[in-house]
DNA sequence: TGCACGATGAAC
DNA sequence: TTCATCGTGCAC
C-alpha cells in the first residue's frame, strides 16, 4: 500500500528531494481514472542564482508557483506544445523545484513516458494543474515501500545550454540501468 | 504592441 | 539537423 508524501518531504534541500523522488510513485486521479507511474529521472533547479531555472528571471506571473510554498505542482508549457511538471521544494520565498523527466508506467498509463513532455501527456497533466497542492488526493507522490535505488546516476541537465557554467552542473539524476530513462 | 526564444519531441 | 507552435519576458 502506497503512502502519500507529506509537505515536510518537499520542504528540504532540493538535491536531496530530487534524489529521494527516484523510485516514488506519481499519482494523478482524473475523471475517475487513477494513473500511476514510478519516477525514474528528475532534474533539480536550485533557485534564482541558478541561471538554468525559470526563477532566474525573478518573480513573474509564470514563476509565482516556484516562489510559493513547497509541495505544489509547477506546470508550464514549453515550445508552444509540451507540458512540463515540477515539484516545488524548500520554504515559501525560496524558489526551487524538481522537474520530473521520466516515469516507468505502473497503472493506467498509456503511451510513452520517457521525457518531461511525454510524461505529462501520458499522465494527462497540463497547465490546469499549475499551482495544485501535492498534499491532495488528485495529484501527489507516494511511497510504496520500494527500496531506494542502488545506483543513482548524475548528469548535466538537458536543454539548458544557455545557462553558462550552470549548464555543466550535475543536477540530473536517474535510476542507474532503468530502461525508462529518457537519455541514459 | 511586437518579437526572440525556449527545462521538447518527431521527422528527415 | 530541422521544424512545429505559442506563452513569456523584455525591448521599444
Amino acid at each position: 500500500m502506497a503512502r502519500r508524501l507529506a509537505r515536510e518531504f518537499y520542504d528540504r534541500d532540493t538535491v536531496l528531494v530530487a534524489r529521494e523522488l527516484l523510485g516514488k510513485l506519481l499519482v494523478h486521479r482524473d475523471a475517475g481514472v487513477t494513473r500511476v507511474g514510478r519516477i525514474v529521472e528528475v532534474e533539480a533547479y536550485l533557485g534564482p542564482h541558478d541561471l538554468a531555472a525559470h526563477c532566474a528571471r525573478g518573480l513573474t506571473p509564470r514563476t509565482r508557483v516556484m516562489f510559493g510554498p513547497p509541495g505544489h505542482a509547477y506546470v508550464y508549457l514549453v515550445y508552444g506544445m509540451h507540458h512540463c511538471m515540477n515539484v516545488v521544494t524548500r520554504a515559501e520565498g525560496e524558489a526551487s523545484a524538481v522537474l520530473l523527466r521520466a516515469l516507468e508506467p505502473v497503472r493506467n498509463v498509456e503511451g510513452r513516458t520517457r521525457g518531461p513532455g511525454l510524461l505529462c501527456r501520458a499522465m494527462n497533466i497540463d497547465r490546469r494543474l499549475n499551482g495544485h497542492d501535492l498534499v491532495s488526493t488528485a495529484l501527489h507522490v507516494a511511497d510504496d515501500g520500494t527500496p531506494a535505488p542502488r545506483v543513482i546516476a548524475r548528469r548535466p541537465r538537458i536543454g539548458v545550454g544557455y545557462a553558462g557554467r550552470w549548464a555543466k552542473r550535475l543536477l540530473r539524476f536517474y535510476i542507474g540501468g532503468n530502461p525508462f530513462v529518457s537519455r541514459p
Side-chain angles (χ1 to χ4, degrees), chain A residues 35-107:
Chain A
R35 302 174 205 277
V36 182
R38 192 174 305 280
I39 299 167
V40 300
E41 179 183 355
V42 297
E43 285 178 359
Y45 288 85
L46 303 186
H49 58 293
D50 178 354
L51 298 184
H54 290 164
C55 56
R57 304 278 185 186
L59 177 55
T60 67
R62 180 170 69 153
T63 60
R64 189 188 91 259
V65 176
M66 262 189 107
F67 281 86
H72 290 257
Y74 167 43
V75 184
Y76 63 91
L77 187 66
V78 270
Y79 298 104
M81 57 194 101
H82 306 293
H83 293 275
C84 290
M85 175 181 170
N86 295 250
V87 163
V88 175
T89 60
R90 303 187 68 204
E92 182 164 8
E94 306 285 339
S96 50
V98 176
L99 170 69
L100 306 184
R101 284 197 55 91
L103 296 177
E104 177 176 334
V106 173
R107 180 152 54 110

Side-chain angles (χ1 to χ4, degrees), chain A residues 15-36:
Chain A
V15 167
L16 185 62
V17 173
R19 295 174 65 95
E20 291 193 13
L21 279 173
L22 295 175
K24 300 290 194 296
L25 301 178
L26 177 65
V27 180
H28 182 206
R29 292 189 192 182
D30 163 45
V33 180
T34 300
R35 302 174 205 277
V36 182

